Amino acid sequence: MATLAEIRAKLKANEPNRSGSQTGGDNAIYPHWNISEGSEAVVRFLPDKDQGNTFFWTERNMIKLPFAGIKGETDSRPVQVQVPCMEMYGKTCPVLTEVRPWFKDKSMEDMGRKYWKKKSYIFQGFVTTNPLAEDSSPENPIRRFIIGPQIFNIIRSALLDPEMEEMPTDYVKGVDFRINKTTKGGYADYSTSKWSRRERALDEAERAAIDTHGLHNLGDFRPKEPTEAEITIIKELFEKSVEGEAYDLEKYGQYFRPAGVSAKAVSTPRAVQPTPTSAPAQSETVASPTTNTVAVSNGNAEVSATTSVATNNETSEANGNGDSAKRAEDILKLIRARQTTN
């Protein structure tokens, strides 16, 4: 288990770069976003089972691809397909490679934010005070928490505070975390969340739960790394999304699907002939737009058991007018021009 000093060192080292696998059949993910305004949920974070992870969380980066609807369904409403960002695996992301240059043009910034990666962080631990009236409690009381950037920054800031002398996940000298929900500007606000001031040793029931069920390897709950074929599909989906097309369930359903679309709705998979694409360009350092989204994945990873926590920063969408359509058309021309020359 990493020490507090090691965590601080790594957080500071990552500072210049700063800018929801397996699935349980129960309610293992605690939906803190469902607590009512003015309520407080108290949780106790636990270490990652993976000794190689310096932190007691793992980061997940997802990209939302909006579509006009589902192809062939006349009454279909707009849908979103979430795909993993390859930067989560230390690789070049084909979507962000295309999107990064958009931030150099003021008229393209809104479009860039729409397709930028949405960060969330996976933690595990106990819910010690639960304001939710849940229908049932999971057999394993070690829950998972999908935390957005707003709460995460509170967690991070406290860890860097020299007055925090002990690891908050320590079984004896650790502290609980209080998730407080209010509203601001019509959106959920968690800025008053905080660490408890007093240390609290885990009780016998909590210790017994750890002994019985064991800790989770948090990396198991990130989306599996896409194959080369799936990366090509992600590129295609991105281009079709930018172009404003409807989502083709028959063609892409066996790869990535909108949340809530049953696998049974997918017809027998047919071979997909991906459009040839050029090799990804070298990425450049660009500040990440600020979001507070609880991202969820589809397909092979964490099932869509969570909801998005919207913030003012995430509501910036490209205007649905002629200028927006023209910009999208220009983007597609640039992408295809690169494909033709390779």
Side-chain angles (χ1 to χ4, degrees):
M1 185 186 303
T3 64
L4 189 55
E6 290 173 331
I7 287 180
R8 285 173 175 160
K10 195 160 185 177
L11 284 173
K12 290 179 178 179
N14 292 341
E15 206 162 35
N17 296 323
R18 291 181 66 222
S19 337
S21 86
Q22 299 173 0
T23 171
D26 56 9
N27 53 341
I29 298 173
Y30 180 69
H32 66 271
W33 49 88
N34 285 339
I35 67 176
S36 58
E37 181 182 353
S39 296
E40 178 182 80
V42 182
V43 304
R44 177 60 169 267
F45 295 128
L46 294 173
D48 189 354
K49 180 180 179 180
D50 180 7
Q51 296 292 317
N53 183 9
T54 302
F55 307 122
F56 51 94
W57 65 83
T58 190
E59 183 176 313
R60 185 171 62 176
N61 298 324
M62 303 297 293
I63 295 173
K64 295 181 178 180
L65 303 177
F67 289 88
I70 296 179
K71 185 177 180 181
E73 297 186 7
T74 56
D75 60 345
S76 178
R77 297 180 179 180
V79 297
Q80 284 187 335
V81 174
Q82 296 197 82
V83 297
C85 173
M86 293 304 297
E87 290 188 357
M88 182 164 45
Y89 313 101
K91 307 286 182 66
T92 299
C93 177
V95 176
L96 297 194
T97 296
E98 296 289 350
V99 171
R100 277 192 167 89
W102 299 0
F103 291 95
K104 297 178 182 179
D105 183 342
K106 290 289 184 182
S107 66
M108 295 293 296
E109 286 185 357
D110 283 349
M111 196 76 161
R113 289 189 183 95
K114 180 190 292 189
Y115 290 99
W116 194 259
K117 61 184 177 182
K118 306 299 187 292
K119 289 185 179 182
S120 63
Y121 304 83
I122 304 173
F123 290 73
Q124 66 180 320
F126 298 110
V127 179
T128 62
T129 300
N130 186 1
L132 293 175
E134 297 185 285
D135 293 335
S136 62
S137 298
E139 179 183 351
N140 182 355
I142 300 176
R143 310 285 289 268
R144 297 196 298 280
F145 307 98
I146 299 182
I147 302 297
Q150 186 182 46
I151 295 178
F152 177 77
N153 287 336
I154 295 171
I155 294 171
R156 178 186 181 279
S157 296
L159 290 172
L160 291 171
D161 188 339
E163 290 190 1
M164 179 174 279
E165 298 179 348
E166 301 290 343
M167 277 289 293
T169 57
D170 187 86
Y171 291 180
V172 177
K173 296 183 178 182
V175 292
D176 296 335
F177 187 78
R178 299 177 177 275
I179 301 176
N180 296 310
K181 181 179 180 180
T182 59
T183 58
K184 185 177 181 180
Y187 297 97
D189 182 77
Y190 300 94
S191 59
T192 57
S193 300
K194 59 185 179 295
W195 291 99
S196 295
R197 294 183 180 180
R198 294 182 178 179
E199 297 176 353
R200 184 184 72 82
L202 297 183
D203 60 31
E204 291 184 8
E206 291 168 330
R207 293 279 192 129
I210 295 173
D211 292 339
T212 301
H213 301 283
L215 297 172
H216 298 299
N217 185 329
L218 296 176
D220 291 344
F221 300 103
R222 296 200 311 178
K224 73 176 184 65
E225 183 175 345
T227 63
E228 288 301 319
E230 289 169 335
I231 293 173
T232 301
I233 295 300
I234 290 173
K235 294 178 185 177
E236 288 190 15
L237 286 169
F238 166 65
E239 293 178 15
K240 292 181 182 300
S241 173
V242 173
E243 198 164 345
E245 292 188 12
Y247 170 76
D248 190 334
L249 182 60
E250 181 181 358
K251 185 175 183 181
Y252 299 113
Q254 69 268 36
Y255 295 98
F256 304 99
R257 298 188 303 277
V261 175
S262 173
K264 294 180 180 179
V266 184
S267 61
T268 303
R270 59 187 174 85
V272 176
Q273 299 298 327
T275 304
T277 54
S278 59
Q282 292 295 319
S283 60
E284 54 191 274
T285 303
V286 175
S288 168
T290 304
T291 61
N292 184 30
T293 302
V294 179
V296 293
S297 62
N298 301 299
N300 302 318
E302 197 82 62
V303 174
S304 181
T306 60
T307 57
S308 295
V309 179
T311 64
N312 290 320
N313 292 326
E314 193 183 357
T315 58
S316 297
E317 299 285 346
N319 295 325
N321 53 25
D323 290 341
S324 176
K326 181 63 167 59
R327 289 197 296 271
E329 181 181 347
D330 292 341
I331 293 167
L332 266 296
K333 287 181 180 178
L334 289 172
I335 295 173
R336 288 165 179 161
R338 279 199 295 273
Q339 295 172 354
T340 303
T341 57
N342 282 272

